[in-house]
Amino acid sequence: MNLLYNSTRNAEKKVTASEAILKGLADDGGLFVPEYIPKLDVTMDELKSMSYQETAYAVMKQFLTDFTEEELKHCINSAYDEKFDTEVIAPLVKVGDTYHLELFHGATIAFKDMALSILPHLLTTAAKKNGVTKEIVILTATSGDTGKAALAGFADVPGTKIIVFYPKGGVSRIQELQMVTQKGDNTSVVAIHGNFDNAQSGVKAMFEDKELEKELSAAGYQFSSANSINIGRLVPQVVYYVYAYAKLLENEEIASGEEINVTVPTGNFGNILAAYYAKQMGVPIAKLICASNENKVLFDFFETGVYDRNREFILTSSPSMDILISSNLERLIYTIAGQDAQKNAELMAQLKEKGVYEITPQMRERLADFAGGFATEEECAATIRKTYERTGYVMDTHTSVAASVCAQYRKDSGDDRKCLVASTASPFKFIHSVMTAIDGKYASADEFGLIDELSSISGVEIPNAIKEIRNADIRHEQECDADKMKETVKKILGV
């Protein structure tokens, strides 16, 4: 049976999975969602002996029903190969009394690789299936990690171009270098004078611009997205939560059917939404703990039912989470509104016009699966230091937000279920913040000077992604004001 998709703002018009992946964003500005969340058709006992690739097929075939078995397996096997530095793709590591799901073993050492290594294959397959002849322009805003992972995934992929916007001064030096040294004749990187929300809003505005769409079409181009607003980004992320539970079972860390909690460091809400979808598919997850940094718009939402982006934007040591407009939350809002597209559209219009909306008491009741928490900069640094001192394990700044919130949740709630922490980036990616947290003597050190030191104290080999940028040439130096993104895109494309 074919699983169809509709917009969160219009439930009437249905598209196939491949059409949803191709478009990225619905014509009305909404996000594509499946008509229902499918159930797994294999048991956890069957899943526990499966490889990551086999698990990916078991999960993704349920969502992407218009892809043939051959097409989907080709996409999966092309994505999860030697680009990852471990055969298991997403290792589970026990750290103290929690389990860290390491999602940073791909080419760009961040969790975005888990989905962005497969998205180009899904997208080009979808283009062939739908007879697309135009060149696909991937238009993406990044708070640091999506950009490099998307660039690496789409570099020199035939029939595509990719343009990435990032906030100048709003990403780590290593994140920036990973992007501006990116090779590939079809890649463009632009630093905007503004923050991530400005970049994301600018990209969304271009997707909704009908005149621009006509101009691009006449020039032989069409837009698609590599952000987590694309359902082709979200579905592969469901896989690793299913895989993690099965591996906990295989390793006899949990009993069959035992519920676990999952803590996810959260910015744009895609990664934790994927865990929610895994729960809906049948994975025994109790609480989904949404961990925020000092930009705690999501924590406040879960506490009050009010989403309010009218607040100071804080630059933190976990920049990928420095976000005040969490795009993927719209998919959850649509769900808890009883799949009422009109209600969701009204709330999103309020967010756009006033920067704030409030959900109904009935909708709040449907958020019972979630708990919110946040960690200050001081708490994150302390968590990195204490974890290293107690266990020798070094985590990055984003993972420390989740670990800190997870510990606080356990203490406050008395909930002693085993907890999975989504470990979203290598500590090498945020090396200055990590090393300074471990010992203040590193505060004045050069980022690149700390690489060997981190490798030495953690016992972890320096990742290829870091080795590559040490002496790489800067290839992208373009900058623009936040209100000039459209003109910049047209210039890049020669339209």
Side-chain angles (χ1 to χ4, degrees):
M1 187 171 158
N2 225 10
L3 178 60
L4 297 177
Y5 290 74
N6 59 263
S7 166
T8 49
R9 301 182 193 181
N10 178 1
E12 301 306 310
K13 191 182 174 191
K14 310 288 184 188
V15 298
T16 63
S18 63
E19 288 170 327
I21 289 169
L22 262 178
K23 289 182 75 67
L25 198 66
D27 291 335
D28 54 25
L31 278 59
F32 285 112
V33 283
E35 291 178 290
Y36 58 90
I37 303 300
K39 297 290 184 190
L40 288 163
D41 66 354
V42 285
T43 65
M44 283 295 159
D45 272 341
E46 290 169 293
L47 279 162
K48 72 182 185 184
S49 59
M50 288 188 189
S51 68
Y52 192 87
Q53 293 83 348
E54 289 165 337
T55 307
Y57 180 70
V59 173
M60 292 172 69
K61 72 175 183 179
Q62 299 294 95
F63 284 98
L64 310 181
T65 55
D66 66 326
F67 284 71
T68 66
E69 180 177 351
E70 184 184 5
E71 287 168 341
L72 198 47
K73 284 185 173 174
H74 172 74
C75 291
I76 289 165
N77 293 329
S78 300
Y80 305 113
D81 58 9
E82 65 281 350
K83 289 190 291 293
F84 287 80
D85 64 20
T86 168
E87 274 185 34
V88 297
I89 308 297
L92 267 175
V93 180
K94 192 167 186 182
V95 181
D97 59 358
T98 57
Y99 301 88
H100 282 227
L101 177 62
E102 292 189 344
L103 301 171
F104 53 77
H105 288 272
T108 75
I109 57 176
F111 83 101
K112 306 292 171 80
D113 289 321
M114 302 299 295
L116 282 165
S117 57
I118 193 169
L119 183 61
H121 302 287
L122 293 174
L123 197 63
T124 49
T125 303
K128 281 184 202 143
K129 292 175 85 65
N130 289 278
V132 170
T133 54
K134 294 186 178 75
E135 193 159 17
I136 296 167
V137 179
I138 304 297
L139 195 61
T140 292
T142 185
S143 54
D145 288 337
T146 288
K148 173 59 183 179
L151 287 160
F154 282 95
D156 292 324
V157 170
T160 70
K161 287 188 187 300
I162 176 164
I163 304 171
V164 169
F165 290 94
Y166 75 94
K168 184 72 178 172
V171 300
S172 80
R173 180 61 180 150
I174 284 175
Q175 283 179 310
E176 183 172 46
L177 282 171
Q178 282 189 299
M179 289 188 278
V180 299
T181 59
Q182 176 65 48
K183 295 175 182 172
D185 293 337
N186 64 338
T187 63
S188 298
V189 179
V190 184
I192 71 150
H193 306 138
N195 60 38
F196 170 73
D197 288 330
N198 301 137
Q200 181 167 253
S201 297
V203 164
K204 278 187 138 183
M206 282 186 269
F207 272 100
E208 294 169 24
D209 189 327
K210 299 304 171 195
E211 282 304 309
L212 180 59
E213 186 181 354
K214 282 181 198 166
E215 287 180 71
L216 287 173
S217 185
Y221 296 117
Q222 74 177 60
F223 279 147
S224 190
S225 172
N227 278 85
S228 54
I229 55 175
N230 192 318
I231 198 71
R233 264 281 306 273
L234 192 58
V235 168
Q237 292 181 265
V238 179
V239 174
Y240 47 73
Y241 292 109
V242 178
Y243 178 77
Y245 188 90
K247 290 301 151 193
L248 285 171
L249 202 54
E250 183 187 32
N251 298 342
E252 298 183 349
E253 297 286 351
I254 55 174
S256 183
E258 182 180 344
E259 287 189 329
I260 63 167
N261 292 332
V262 175
T263 308
V264 186
T266 312
N268 220 14
F269 208 74
N271 202 4
I272 193 164
L273 185 71
Y276 178 67
Y277 280 9
K279 175 171 179 164
Q280 306 288 305
M281 288 192 89
V283 179
I285 295 170
K287 280 286 182 191
L288 298 146
I289 303 161
C290 178
S292 298
N293 64 16
E294 289 181 358
N295 291 293
K296 59 186 184 68
V297 63
L298 285 165
F299 169 76
D300 292 341
F301 168 71
F302 284 114
E303 288 290 295
T304 65
V306 176
Y307 192 96
D308 186 358
R309 67 172 172 82
N310 300 316
R311 62 183 68 208
E312 182 191 356
F313 184 93
I314 302 165
L315 290 174
T316 73
S317 61
S318 46
S320 300
M321 297 163 65
D322 291 346
I323 294 171
L324 296 181
I325 305 172
S326 303
S327 279
N328 263 292
L329 186 64
E330 179 169 346
R331 286 186 167 112
L332 181 65
I333 297 298
Y334 171 78
T335 302
I336 63 172
Q339 297 190 314
D340 183 338
Q342 188 180 343
K343 176 66 177 171
N344 175 69
E346 284 169 13
L347 294 173
M348 294 308 121
Q350 287 172 30
L351 182 65
K352 190 172 183 179
E353 289 156 22
K354 298 176 183 170
V356 61
Y357 64 79
E358 183 171 7
I359 60 172
T360 65
Q362 293 88 341
M363 290 168 74
R364 282 195 74 181
E365 284 172 17
R366 293 176 182 154
L367 289 176
D369 290 332
F370 291 87
F374 77 96
T376 65
E377 287 288 272
E378 292 76 17
E379 287 167 335
C380 291
T383 297
I384 291 171
R385 185 181 65 257
K386 286 176 188 169
T387 303
Y388 170 67
E389 288 170 354
R390 288 174 189 159
T391 68
Y393 186 82
V394 180
M395 69 179 87
D396 93 294
T397 46
H398 302 74
T399 307
S400 76
V401 173
S404 182
V405 167
C406 181
Q408 194 61 47
Y409 170 80
R410 277 181 156 163
K411 185 179 166 190
D412 293 346
S413 67
D415 184 343
D416 62 356
R417 290 184 183 91
K418 295 184 177 79
C419 196
L420 184 74
V421 169
S423 186
T424 53
S426 164
F428 285 93
K429 199 154 192 172
F430 303 93
I431 195 162
H432 193 267
S433 298
V434 168
M435 293 300 284
T436 304
I438 288 172
D439 192 327
K441 72 182 182 185
Y442 296 118
S444 58
D446 169 67
E447 282 202 30
F448 281 93
L450 292 172
I451 290 169
D452 297 307
E453 186 71 18
L454 174 54
S455 179
S456 172
I457 68 160
S458 65
V460 175
E461 192 182 335
I462 299 166
N464 282 333
I466 298 295
K467 290 177 185 172
E468 284 169 6
I469 60 169
R470 266 182 148 166
N471 303 302
D473 294 330
I474 304 290
R475 299 169 59 91
H476 306 277
E477 298 183 272
Q478 199 164 354
E479 296 185 20
C480 78
D481 290 335
D483 61 354
K484 293 287 186 286
M485 289 168 62
K486 177 175 164 179
E487 290 81 354
T488 304
V489 166
K490 289 173 73 170
K491 187 178 169 188
I492 290 168
L493 298 176
V495 175

